[in-house]
Structure formats: structure tokens, C-alpha cells
Amino acid sequence: MGARSSKSSTPKKGSSYANAYGSRDSKQSNFQDDSTPSRKETDNSTLERKQTKEEVVSPKKNATIFSSKEDEFYDGIPRIPAALSEKSRSRSFRVTALKAGSLGIGKAVDVLDTLGSSVKSLNSGSHFVTGPTTKGNELCILSFEVANTVMKGSSLMNTLSDRNIRHLKEVVFLSEGVQNLVSKDVDELLRIVAADKRAELKIFTGEVVRFGNRCKDPQWHNLDVYFEKQDRGLTRPKQFKVLPEVTMEQLLNLVQHTADLYRELSVLDKLEQDDQGGPNSTPTPKGRELYLMQTLKGQKKQVKLLKKKSLWSRSMEDVMEKLVDIVIYLNRQIKEAFESALSSACPNMQHKLGPSGLALHYANIVLQIDSIVSRSSPMTYIARSTLYQSLPPDIELSYRSRLTSFRVDKELDVPAIKAEIEKTLCWFSPIAINTAKAHHGFGWVGEWADTG
């Protein structure tokens, strides 16, 4: 047994491992020189050898924990140099717990307590602590919902960029459609946009709070209270370890792999149905059956790989740290971009189409009119009937009464009528198109995964 232990380890000079190894050799040489040891000496030597073996194994185990292979688990996700990523620490934690199990429950508890006590806080201004990733606490099917939330945060972050804010003030506010339909007062327009962004942030924050309440770690529970204190300045402002833009880029990388996983899971489901067949299915030729088996095997391998690279295999705690940073950053960006508007009174949204839920309906009516006008053929009865049925009841009633009293100075032919309508549609149609895009922009992950 002594010879086998000596071959399986290579002591380093000056290490506790070498000291333990050397003391063991000296004990063995003394034992061999004494040709007639007593029974008591033999028992003591055996006990010392067992104790020394345990001392030899422990440093080897600690050296294995931080091997270079474990740090390669984060598949290409950007990370800050010279800093151990959260996922690497979590992965190392799981490897440590697994290998420590071979030393017995007592040894495992000691190793876990040592690692737990060495964990530092997220940053100097945060009350959150990065904890280990518990096995079995992966997002799994919830990853698609998290991906959808990340896309909402990304969209809001893009609209708050300096470039988009400048475009908003210099182009959008001065456009004919906005001034005709919304307002010509820039301050009022700023208040309307600020209210919209606050509403979007409230939705995004609510989903982050809901995800936090699902975490096993109680420090992520009731984040709405924490966000409220941050907003009012009742607690020390959070300092970001990583730029929020970089954090969002990391999340979007995971989201892209999650979208790929969604598609591949759909393909896998179809292949499994084809492989199982049905009660009335015809027998599959042997060559075709072999091809299906190989394709199914390859698809399962692809799905397994994407699960590792996507949000599927991440724990909620890992993602929550990043989402909390994004919420705080977006709140600061809104305050900075619309500081004057937020200090003013909130705009009266009572007569706006958005809060009343009619924006998309009116946009579809405008798009129907645009489609009719763009046709070279005369307007059909079906198209006219469909357009009338789309009108809200009060507008349809007022339309019929106004049509009977409508008078024109000069009769116009169809091309002239279309030309007059197109003068309005040139600024009206883009607003309707943008309205439709805005309503369909926050679809479930499967929708934007299919449309690219």
C-alpha cells in the first residue's frame, strides 16, 4: 500500500504535501530496520500510516478543484479578464462537493464551509452575496420565459441610448405625424415618452421581482423593496462590477443560444414522433429506420450541447445578479434622459389610444386604407365591407351622418382621390406600421426565434 501511494503522487518542494510524504518515508524505513517489532509498535505504525494517507489525499484534492478544464465551462461568453466568473466558481463548487464526498460526510462539510466562508459580496455597494449554484436548480423550461424578459430589457436599453434619445428629439418630435396626432409641445412629448419608458421599466422590473421570488436563496426575495430604496436614494447606490452594456451582451449571447435550443427542441419532438410512429403507421424500411435512429441520436446530442450553452443550464441565482444590475441601470438612464420631464406633472393619458387598448385596432384600419389605395384596381365590395366593419360603432354612426352632408366644390376622379389620400397616408401609414411593430415586438421567445 505504501508503494502504491508513492507512485500516485508527486510531492512539491516546500509544500505540506512533501512534508507529510517525507515523514511517511521515515516511518517506513524505521519499521523496516527493526526486524522484530512489538505488537504495540506495529499498531502505532499502522495508525500513523492511515493518518498520513489522509493528509496526502487532501492537498491533491484541493489541487484538482481549480484545474484549468473547469474554467472552460463558460462557452465563449464574454467575461472580465483576471476575474473568476460566477459560473466557474459555481462549477468548481459542484466539483468540490462531489470529490469531497469520497472523504466522508465530515470532510465534505469542512470543505463546503471553507468555500462558503471565502465568498465575497457582489460589490462594495451591494447587500447581495454570490452563492454557489445548487445542483438541480437550473432554469430548464423557465429559460424561455427568462429569455423573453431579457429581450424586453434589451429593447428598453436600446431606446435609452444617447443616439436614440437624440434621434427622438431631433427627428421624431419634429415629424409631421407626431405634431399632427400627438402634440407640437416638446415638453409634453418628453413627458409622454418618459411615462412610456417608466411603464416599460415597471413591467420589466415586475418580471425580475417575480423571478427573484422563485429563487431558493432568500436574498433575492422581495426585490421590489430593494429597487424602491435604490430609486429613492435610501440606500447606498449600487456600484457595478461589470458595465451594464457588457452584462446585457452576455445575457443576449445566452438568449441567442436559448432561441436555437427552442428550434432544436421542436425538431427533436418531431423526430421522436416519427420514430415512435402510430397505431396505424406502416412498417418503416430497415434502411429508413437506421437513418431515423442516427438522425435522432445526432439531434439529441445537439440539444444537449445547446442546453449547456444557453440559459437552460444556468441557475436562477446566476441570472438574477445580472438582471438586478440591468434594472438599476435602466432606472438611472431614464432619470438622466428625462430629468426635466419627470419633475413635471404626468401627462393626461385619458384620451390616448394606448391606455384604452385601441392603438393596434386603429393602426390596422389605417393599414387597410393604405392597402386599398395602393391597388390599381377599383375597390371591391368585400374590401369596402371589411373596412366598414372594422370601424368602431361611434365612428361608423358619425361617418354615415357626415357623409350625407359632405359637399365638394369639384368632382374628382379616382386617381385624384387617391392622390389626396396619399398626402395624408405618407405620414399616417408609418405611425400605423410602428404601432403594429410595437405591439408584436414583445412576443414569446418562440415567435422571434422563428422570425429571426
Side-chain angles (χ1 to χ4, degrees):
M1 181 184 296
R4 187 162 59 251
S5 299
S6 175
K7 291 179 181 179
S8 63
S9 56
T10 56
K12 295 183 178 179
K13 185 176 180 180
S15 65
S16 59
Y17 177 72
N19 294 337
Y21 188 87
S23 61
R24 185 172 180 275
D25 285 345
S26 61
K27 289 179 178 59
Q28 285 184 346
S29 59
N30 292 338
F31 176 78
Q32 292 172 354
D33 291 340
D34 192 353
S35 58
T36 57
S38 63
R39 179 179 181 85
K40 181 177 181 180
E41 291 174 343
T42 302
D43 293 340
N44 290 339
S45 178
T46 303
L47 179 61
E48 289 174 350
R49 284 200 302 271
K50 291 181 178 180
Q51 294 174 347
T52 304
K53 181 179 179 181
E54 290 182 359
E55 295 173 356
V56 170
V57 172
S58 298
K60 180 179 179 181
K61 187 167 298 299
N62 291 335
T64 307
I65 293 173
F66 301 102
S67 63
S68 60
K69 292 183 179 179
E70 303 300 338
D71 294 336
E72 297 174 0
F73 181 74
Y74 229 108
D75 302 282
I77 308 301
R79 56 173 70 88
I80 300 301
L84 185 63
S85 67
E86 295 83 5
K87 192 46 126 180
S88 298
R89 286 198 297 268
S90 303
R91 178 67 173 169
S92 299
F93 179 91
R94 293 198 295 270
V95 174
T96 303
L98 179 61
K99 295 188 176 182
S102 61
L103 298 179
I105 297 177
K107 279 283 185 181
V109 171
D110 294 339
V111 174
L112 299 182
D113 289 343
T114 302
L115 278 178
S117 62
S118 65
V119 173
K120 298 181 179 180
S121 63
L122 296 180
N123 54 63
S124 57
S126 172
H127 300 291
F128 301 115
V129 176
T130 304
T133 302
T134 356
K135 180 118 178 129
N137 194 29
E138 293 84 1
L139 285 173
C140 297
I141 195 66
L142 193 62
S143 60
F144 301 117
E145 189 174 352
V146 174
N148 189 50
T149 298
V150 172
M151 290 302 298
K152 292 181 181 180
S154 174
S155 176
L156 181 55
M157 181 179 288
N158 287 334
T159 61
L160 294 174
S161 66
D162 294 338
R163 179 181 178 183
N164 283 329
I165 294 297
R166 186 168 58 252
H167 177 78
L168 188 71
K169 295 178 179 179
E170 298 176 359
V171 179
V172 177
F173 285 176
L174 302 179
S175 66
E176 188 176 2
V178 171
Q179 295 199 353
N180 288 336
L181 293 178
V182 186
S183 175
K184 296 181 180 180
D185 186 357
V186 176
D187 292 334
E188 183 180 0
L189 292 174
L190 282 173
R191 289 193 295 270
I192 293 175
V193 175
D196 286 344
K197 297 309 167 188
R198 296 291 289 183
E200 291 180 27
L201 178 61
K202 184 177 180 181
I203 295 174
F204 176 68
T205 303
E207 295 185 8
V208 173
V209 171
R210 179 166 57 86
F211 292 146
N213 291 334
R214 296 181 66 113
C215 292
K216 293 183 179 179
D217 191 342
Q219 71 172 333
W220 303 110
H221 297 174
N222 302 319
L223 283 174
D224 49 341
V225 178
Y226 173 73
F227 291 144
E228 183 70 18
K229 290 182 178 179
Q230 282 282 325
D231 186 30
R232 295 185 177 184
L234 301 179
T235 184
R236 183 166 46 173
K238 191 175 189 301
Q239 303 297 323
F240 302 120
K241 288 197 311 180
V242 183
L243 290 175
E245 293 87 350
V246 177
T247 300
M248 179 57 74
E249 185 179 348
Q250 295 176 2
L251 289 173
L252 290 178
N253 197 342
L254 292 170
V255 167
Q256 182 58 55
H257 290 307
T258 306
D260 295 338
L261 175 62
Y262 183 92
R263 284 191 291 263
E264 298 300 329
L265 281 173
S266 300
V267 175
L268 177 62
D269 181 63
K270 188 175 185 307
L271 288 174
E272 288 178 340
Q273 291 179 3
D274 293 342
D275 182 61
Q276 293 174 0
N280 300 325
S281 59
T282 58
T284 307
K286 190 171 183 180
R288 174 69 176 171
E289 183 179 356
L290 181 60
Y291 171 77
L292 286 176
M293 290 178 59
Q294 292 176 347
T295 305
L296 183 60
K297 182 179 179 181
Q299 188 65 22
K300 288 182 178 179
K301 185 177 180 180
Q302 177 70 7
V303 167
K304 184 178 180 181
L305 177 63
L306 286 173
K307 284 183 177 180
K308 292 181 179 180
K309 296 172 68 176
S310 67
L311 288 167
W312 185 283
S313 61
R314 267 55 177 181
S315 72
M316 184 67 80
E317 287 76 8
D318 291 335
V319 178
M320 283 305 304
E321 179 183 351
K322 295 178 173 59
L323 290 179
V324 167
D325 285 354
I326 297 299
V327 169
I328 296 175
Y329 173 75
L330 291 176
N331 190 30
R332 294 177 185 176
Q333 287 296 101
I334 292 176
K335 286 185 176 181
E336 181 179 345
F338 307 102
E339 183 177 1
S340 59
L342 292 174
S343 60
S344 306
C346 295
N348 184 10
M349 305 295 288
Q350 183 177 0
H351 301 293
K352 305 297 182 182
L353 293 179
S356 60
L358 294 174
L360 183 60
H361 184 73
Y362 276 76
N364 288 332
I365 294 176
V366 174
L367 294 177
Q368 285 184 50
I369 296 174
D370 184 67
S371 176
I372 293 172
V373 173
S374 61
R375 294 174 184 169
S376 58
S377 58
M379 184 177 182
T380 63
Y381 172 79
I382 297 178
R384 183 170 60 252
S385 176
T386 303
L387 178 60
Y388 286 156
Q389 291 177 4
S390 300
L391 296 175
D394 53 344
I395 292 183
E396 186 176 356
L397 291 175
S398 63
Y399 167 76
R400 293 183 181 278
S401 61
R402 291 178 62 182
L403 187 62
T404 56
S405 60
F406 183 74
R407 296 290 183 270
V408 293
D409 297 334
K410 183 177 66 172
E411 290 289 338
L412 299 176
D413 55 6
V414 174
I417 294 175
K418 286 187 176 182
E420 288 295 323
I421 297 177
E422 285 176 351
K423 290 180 182 179
T424 304
L425 290 177
C426 67
W427 57 263
F428 209 176
S429 293
I431 293 181
I433 293 173
N434 290 336
T435 303
K437 286 183 178 179
H439 277 75
H440 295 294
F442 288 158
W444 186 255
V445 64
E447 296 179 10
W448 55 258
D450 292 336
T451 59

